[in-house]
Amino acid sequence: MPLTPPAEPDPEPKMNWASFYAVISGVNRHSTGIGRIWLSVLFIFRILVLVVAAESVWGDEKSGFICNTQQPGCNSVCYDHFFPISHIRLWALQLILVSTPALLVAMHVAHRRHVDKRLYKLSGRTNPKDLEQIKTQKMKITGALWWTYVISLLFRIVFEVTFMYLFYMIYPGYKMIRLVKCDSYPCPNTVDCFVSRPTEKTVFTVFMLAVSGVCILLNIAEVFFLVGKACGKHLHTAGDSTMGVWIQQKLCSY
Amino acid sequence: MSWPVLYAQLVGANRHSTSLGKVWLSVLFIFRVMVLVVAAESVWGDEQSDFTCNTLQPGCENVCYDQFFPVSHIRLWCLQLVFVSTPTLLVAMYVSYRNHSDKKRLLQSSGRAGLLSNKGQEEDLETLKKRRLPVAGALWWTYACSLVFRLLFEGGFMYALYVVYDGFQMPRLVQCDQWPCPNLVDCFISRPTEKTIFTVFMATASSICMVLNMAELSYLVAKAVTR
């Protein structure tokens, strides 16, 4: 996914990672600082690497998978036996699933804005400047939005860990082996099958795994940061509980 | 004419949807269209070139492939997504018809009065364009009809996929005896497990969309009944 526009004009816009980026990066405004770092890591070190490098490494995974037999069908069957789902597809699904909890936050912010607009209208403030301000103001991560944000972070962590576990189950040790031995029908007896580019695939698998780990750490740090911030605020306001402060808290923390 | 164009059309119609409708649109585009384009198309990319039969007889592979795959999954899903998205355009058409007739009425009444300034008229027309119509009356019926059509199309296509491919599982081996294949030959399908995984994924996403549509329909009916 090029971050700058391509050299020749694209006659047909494609539904691809670039448009996905446009959708997800809109959420960026309501994230914490760590959330923005996470989003950059996701797009630069995972999606960009996937599209620019990994897809060409796995491009010939089936055509380059060769078995030591001329028996028709043996290649297909052995490939299917050892690669139930390709790394590339697993990573694509992982990236889509890991990015979508951020949309929960976007939906909540949109809902809050809608409610604020209604409140403004009811209180008589129909000045278009005020309504514009609601659209552009940055929401504070307090109250129900805090919970939505933390839940979205927890979902992200769960999805990341689940996919890492799936990878480990399907491809033990995260290593791509050079040679597999296959005896499924119609292969005669046991045949040797050779995987294409095993070392390069191992390198990229380990790289994507490492970046996935970094993303998990960022998410955990963000959870701690939010929890710490909420605890700090709670301790600070526990002392003075005048009526005015109480009303302000209730209005702000819808 | 491609997916982003369809997306732009649907997002425009989305303004008059309920919240469930907006969630449905996101699920449709992220978990179905995006997954189709980014992942599924590459899994089915070599479906015919890697369909191998245990024979050297020319023409046998073509004939057997055609017998077992009358319509590819990818094409069925594309058709399903197009059909399922179009009822929303009914709503968009109704809204633009309403806006047009309201605009006409506004221009006629201001013409008769002759007192409204140009600026006042422009402001009114702008609010007309930007307003969000409440889902009531004829718009309610249009919206409910579009939901019913969506459900019918989703169910119809899922059923068609199930019937054509005898379930959602892709077999590894099929046996074919169409002419010109000599007697019975074994034919091997490429990447059957990966195809099964994606078929199940797309079927699940389709069911989630159906559930969302049913929930939206019940919500609309409940809202109308309480009113």
Side-chain angles (χ1 to χ4, degrees):
Chain A
M1 180 192 74
L3 289 174
T4 52
E8 78 268 353
D10 201 5
E12 233 189 44
K14 294 192 184 66
M15 185 86 200
N16 55 8
W17 292 113
S19 36
F20 187 65
Y21 172 73
V23 170
I24 297 292
S25 60
V27 184
N28 219 5
R29 293 185 55 229
H30 313 287
S31 309
T32 59
I34 304 178
R36 289 181 194 159
I37 296 174
W38 171 84
L39 198 72
S40 307
V41 167
L42 185 87
F43 275 98
I44 297 176
F45 292 101
R46 295 173 80 178
I47 295 182
L48 186 64
V49 166
L50 183 81
V51 171
V52 158
E55 279 189 352
S56 44
V57 174
W58 268 267
D60 62 356
E61 54 177 335
K62 181 129 199 297
S63 53
F65 181 83
I66 302 178
C67 292
N68 190 2
T69 178
Q70 284 194 330
Q71 170 65 46
C74 181
N75 270 4
S76 290
V77 162
C78 292
Y79 176 83
D80 183 64
H81 185 257
F82 287 99
F83 301 101
I85 178 165
S86 166
H87 287 67
I88 295 283
R89 257 73 68 182
L90 266 178
W91 282 325
L93 282 175
Q94 180 180 15
L95 290 168
I96 290 173
L97 281 175
V98 150
S99 313
T100 34
L103 295 176
L104 273 177
V105 175
M107 282 195 264
H108 189 125
V109 166
H111 172 74
R112 223 197 209 176
R113 283 216 173 110
H114 180 72
V115 165
D116 280 350
K117 227 189 224 176
R118 271 227 178 121
L119 275 172
Y120 267 50
K121 282 197 180 138
L122 282 173
S123 66
R125 282 195 279 175
T126 49
N127 191 357
K129 229 195 273 182
D130 281 333
L131 296 173
E132 269 304 304
Q133 201 203 15
I134 296 178
K135 258 195 227 175
T136 49
Q137 81 178 146
K138 188 188 157 179
M139 290 276 161
K140 276 196 180 280
I141 304 176
T142 50
L145 184 60
W146 184 93
W147 282 104
T148 311
Y149 201 91
V150 169
I151 288 170
S152 81
L153 284 174
L154 291 173
F155 268 119
R156 268 187 226 169
I157 296 172
V158 163
F159 286 144
E160 291 269 25
V161 170
T162 310
F163 272 93
M164 283 193 29
Y165 177 70
L166 267 175
F167 259 104
Y168 192 80
M169 292 296 290
I170 300 175
Y171 300 105
Y174 300 115
K175 196 172 176 296
M176 185 62 87
I177 23 185
R178 222 178 241 190
L179 160 73
V180 291
K181 289 186 194 277
C182 173
D183 63 356
S184 320
Y185 176 83
C187 304
N189 309 308
T190 304
V191 300
D192 290 338
C193 295
F194 301 90
V195 177
S196 99
R197 310 180 203 252
T199 314
E200 204 168 1
K201 286 178 181 170
T202 306
V203 166
F204 274 96
T205 307
V206 168
F207 177 86
M208 293 295 267
L209 180 77
V211 181
S212 187
V214 166
C215 285
I216 293 177
L217 288 173
L218 283 170
N219 287 331
I220 294 174
E222 205 177 353
V223 170
F224 280 129
F225 169 73
L226 283 172
V227 167
K229 200 166 136 188
C231 286
K233 197 186 280 181
H234 182 77
L235 288 168
H236 179 73
T237 55
D240 46 283
S241 51
T242 57
M243 195 62 162
V245 172
W246 182 81
I247 291 174
Q248 197 182 39
Q249 226 176 19
K250 280 291 166 196
L251 282 176
C252 291
S253 65
Y254 164 80
Chain B
M1 188 70 199
S2 56
W3 293 116
V5 173
L6 181 70
Y7 179 71
Q9 294 278 334
L10 290 178
V11 158
N14 211 16
R15 289 184 55 229
H16 308 280
S17 310
T18 60
S19 322
L20 278 169
K22 290 174 184 160
V23 171
W24 170 85
L25 192 72
S26 308
V27 169
L28 186 85
F29 271 93
I30 295 178
F31 290 101
R32 295 173 75 180
V33 177
M34 178 101 198
V35 167
L36 184 80
V37 171
V38 157
E41 279 189 350
S42 46
V43 176
W44 268 267
D46 58 1
E47 54 178 335
Q48 191 171 11
S49 53
D50 268 0
F51 181 79
T52 326
C53 290
N54 191 1
T55 178
L56 285 178
Q57 172 65 48
C60 179
E61 278 178 9
N62 284 6
V63 161
C64 293
Y65 176 81
D66 186 63
Q67 186 195 15
F68 288 100
F69 302 99
V71 183
S72 168
H73 287 69
I74 296 281
R75 260 70 70 185
L76 268 176
W77 285 326
C78 285
L79 282 173
Q80 180 180 18
L81 291 168
V82 167
F83 271 86
V84 150
S85 313
T86 33
T88 317
L89 298 177
L90 269 178
V91 176
M93 280 195 270
Y94 175 77
V95 166
S96 76
Y97 161 76
R98 263 279 278 275
N99 282 347
H100 179 75
S101 53
D102 283 350
K103 199 166 144 185
K104 241 191 189 172
R105 216 182 315 128
L106 190 80
L107 287 169
Q108 270 176 354
S109 66
S110 75
R112 240 183 284 126
L115 295 169
L116 258 178
S117 71
N118 225 9
K119 197 175 172 206
Q121 200 180 65
E122 260 177 42
E123 266 175 26
D124 278 336
L125 288 172
E126 271 305 302
T127 45
L128 202 86
K129 251 194 250 175
K130 288 203 180 132
R131 74 174 166 179
R132 197 193 146 178
L133 288 165
V135 182
L139 182 60
W140 185 96
W141 283 102
T142 315
Y143 201 86
C145 278
S146 79
L147 285 175
V148 167
F149 273 118
R150 264 189 229 170
L151 279 168
L152 285 173
F153 287 140
E154 289 269 25
F157 273 96
M158 291 245 292
Y159 179 70
L161 191 76
Y162 191 86
V163 160
V164 168
Y165 291 102
D166 224 0
F168 293 127
Q169 206 194 4
M170 183 68 84
R172 219 180 240 191
L173 158 73
V174 290
Q175 293 184 312
C176 172
D177 63 355
Q178 295 282 303
W179 186 88
C181 303
N183 308 307
L184 195 72
V185 299
D186 290 337
C187 293
F188 301 92
I189 295 169
S190 97
R191 312 181 202 250
T193 313
E194 207 165 359
K195 286 179 181 169
T196 306
I197 291 173
F198 274 95
T199 308
V200 168
F201 181 91
M202 294 294 269
T204 312
S206 185
S207 320
I208 292 174
C209 285
M210 280 175 80
V211 166
L212 283 170
N213 285 333
M214 284 194 274
E216 205 179 350
L217 194 64
S218 336
Y219 167 74
L220 278 179
V221 168
K223 201 165 142 186
V225 161
T226 50
R227 212 183 314 130

